[in-house]
Amino acid sequence: MARVLLTRKLPGDGLGSLAGHELVGPEDDDRALSHEELCAHAGQVDGIVCLLTDRIDAEVLEAGKGRLQIVANVAVGYDNIDVAAANRLGIRVCNTPGVLDETTADTAFMLILAAARRASEAEAELREGRWQGFRIAHQLGRDVHGARLGLVGYGRIARAVARRAEGFSMTVTHHSRRDTGEAGFVADLDAMLPEVDILSLHVPGGDETHHLIDARRLSLLPRHAVLVNTARGPVVDEAALAGALHRGELFAAGLDVYEREPTVHPDLLTAPRTVLLPHIGSATWSTREAMANLALTAIAQHFDGQTPPNVVPPSSSTAE
Ligand code: GLV
């Protein structure tokens, strides 16, 4: 019997897959454990099921040395886990790929539409009693149908966004670190940026993509462009983005992720034509349950002597 820490209460009924194992977790169901608590628990459990808000760094993993065997992140991204340290210590890391692609692509498309059509500020005008009735040249946005969509990263979620874009008659290009050999591939990100109307980010977090979209790259986008980020906050330099929006150098932005969650850069909160969601990319009942079940099943498989299919490859430092 293994002892498994659940850092938070999970949706769904997947706990049954851990029948026979001892489960431990915070007494207050939805309280985040502090770093100190994570370290204290790590030494006393064989497995951890965690969320992307739990920083499983080298210190936590070291604290589990000798006992901790597996960490299953209930997220596809795992930039919250020091995978190199886990590999060094022989601790297996799992994530939840595949089950959230369509839901997250829905969110990306929701942001594309909402940002291009200025949904948040139009609704705020109505709710705040400022609406003066239909006006022919008021709250004008940009068309999404027929627009040129650039995807940065071309993993499963980006491809799901591309499928939706087909229905909107969009021209889709994609940039990725590796040549995909597929139609629409652009090797040079800088060359792609001036040629898109909408840019949607789908790269993993981590050092390699930190501020991939910085002030210089933002300046390569057309002034009428819309930027959408459902990937990881640090991929975009938030201060530079807010500055570009305030100065009218970029038409609009739709964001679901932030550099220092749950803090949002104050200049983004006041930026015009900006739609801000609180990291709800995969937040549907069925998808969150599927993610929880996948993580729990990985733990069960591991302690059953099997290799879960969703083990993060040892060479990865991030996820796509
Ligand atoms: C959510 O952001 C995830 O990585 O699953």
Side-chain angles (χ1 to χ4, degrees):
M1 180 181 78
R3 191 158 196 260
V4 179
L5 168 68
L6 303 179
T7 64
R8 297 293 273 265
K9 182 174 162 53
L10 296 175
D13 52 10
L15 285 181
S17 60
L18 291 186
H21 297 295
E22 184 193 353
L23 305 182
V24 293
E27 282 158 33
D28 169 0
D29 277 344
D30 216 11
R31 178 179 70 85
L33 292 173
S34 67
H35 191 251
E36 290 68 30
E37 287 173 308
L38 284 172
C39 287
H41 275 292
Q44 292 165 26
V45 293
D46 308 290
I48 297 179
V49 181
C50 59
L51 302 191
L52 57 85
T53 45
D54 298 314
R55 189 162 50 88
I56 309 294
D57 59 13
E59 210 181 326
V60 175
L61 294 163
E62 290 281 355
K65 200 169 165 180
R67 176 152 190 188
L68 183 61
Q69 298 176 31
I70 180 168
V71 176
N73 211 29
V74 188
V76 67
Y78 43 86
D79 49 319
N80 57 311
I81 301 176
D82 187 335
V83 176
N87 288 336
R88 183 164 41 77
L89 293 160
I91 298 168
R92 186 171 262 178
V93 177
C94 294
N95 66 340
T96 60
V99 293
L100 50 75
D101 305 338
E102 301 297 332
T103 301
T104 307
D106 285 348
T107 303
F109 227 87
M110 167 167 67
L111 284 172
I112 289 172
L113 288 164
R117 297 297 302 275
R118 305 170 61 177
S120 288
E121 69 179 289
E123 187 181 2
E125 181 181 282
L126 180 149
R127 285 182 184 275
E128 291 161 17
R130 293 183 281 110
W131 187 32
Q132 295 169 18
F134 177 85
R135 280 178 288 162
I136 199 78
H138 185 56
Q139 290 288 7
L140 304 189
R142 300 268 163 198
D143 278 328
V144 171
H145 69 270
R148 299 169 300 172
L149 172 66
L151 301 169
V152 182
Y154 205 50
R156 289 176 302 267
I157 297 171
R159 286 164 193 266
V161 173
R163 285 195 295 278
R164 285 156 178 72
E166 268 179 46
F168 281 74
S169 307
M170 300 173 90
T171 304
V172 183
T173 51
H174 63 271
H175 166 80
S176 143
R177 278 172 299 182
R178 283 175 295 277
D179 186 349
T180 61
E182 294 176 50
F185 173 71
V186 180
D188 181 2
L189 176 58
D190 288 2
M192 184 170 99
L193 297 178
E195 305 298 328
V196 302
D197 304 310
I198 297 166
L199 188 74
S200 189
L201 307 179
H202 301 284
V203 288
D207 292 346
E208 287 173 33
T209 57
H210 185 260
H211 285 189
L212 180 71
I213 305 299
D214 56 6
R216 186 186 67 77
R217 289 210 164 104
L218 286 168
S219 75
L220 295 177
L221 286 165
R223 288 178 87 88
H224 67 259
V226 175
L227 175 76
V228 166
N229 189 7
T230 51
R232 282 292 181 267
V235 175
V236 177
D237 180 340
E238 265 177 14
L241 172 63
L245 287 162
H246 277 285
R247 291 189 299 274
E249 292 164 9
L250 192 69
F251 180 69
L255 307 176
D256 186 45
V257 288
Y258 304 89
E259 276 197 76
R260 280 169 282 277
E261 296 179 10
T263 301
V264 178
H265 195 293
D267 294 348
L268 275 181
L269 292 170
T270 57
R273 296 179 297 279
T274 303
V275 179
L276 303 174
L277 298 180
H279 205 147
I280 56 164
S282 60
T284 64
W285 289 108
S286 58
T287 294
R288 287 282 166 84
E289 286 182 18
M291 292 164 68
N293 291 348
L294 191 55
L296 293 167
T297 303
I299 297 272
Q301 288 168 326
H302 172 87
F303 289 113
D304 202 26
Q306 302 167 37
T307 303
N310 46 323
V311 174
V312 169
S315 58
S316 331
S317 57
T318 49
E320 186 155 353

